[in-house]
Each structure stands twice: as C-alpha cells, then as structure tokens.
Amino acid sequence: EKKLYKIEEGKKLDGVCGGIAEYFGVDPTLIRLGWAFVTLATAGTGLIAYLVAAIIMPKKSTVI
C-alpha cells in the first residue's frame, strides 16, 4: 500500500517534493524543477500549494 508523506532524509525545505518523488518513483530533482516551473508560470500559486502540502502531509516517521 502506497502512502504519501514528507521525507526526512535528503529534504531541501520540508520534504514535500521528496515525498511526492518517492510516491511516484521518480527523481526528486524532477519534481522540484516541475514545482519551480509551476510556481513561476502561475505567479506564485505553486508556492501556496507547497505550503498547503507541507501543512497537511504527514512525516514519514508518523506514517510507518
């Protein structure tokens, strides 16, 4: 069973992009670049989405 969570090791800010990358099985750098592109292309909406995800996603240690 796959669960979405924030990572604790290798995180850059709060571990959101790393957790999403683990969930989908892709490189975290791709998720970070995509998120940065969305943030720039939508005049900051991606930043708001990141903050919301950082608040609602549990940490890996509390999920396992």
Side-chain angles (χ1 to χ4, degrees):
E1 177 180 337
K2 291 171 56 172
K3 294 193 178 210
L4 185 59
Y5 50 79
K6 297 185 288 189
I7 63 167
E8 295 174 4
E9 282 190 36
K11 67 181 184 177
K12 297 295 180 191
L13 291 176
D14 199 37
V16 173
C17 291
I20 292 171
E22 277 191 20
Y23 184 82
F24 288 110
V26 296
D27 184 21
T29 304
L30 293 175
I31 301 296
R32 291 180 185 117
L33 286 172
W35 209 301
F37 176 76
V38 168
T39 299
L40 292 173
T42 61
T45 304
L47 180 61
I48 294 168
Y50 187 92
L51 294 173
V52 170
I55 292 169
I56 64 172
M57 285 175 62
K59 291 183 181 178
K60 186 175 183 177
S61 62
T62 60
V63 174
I64 298 175

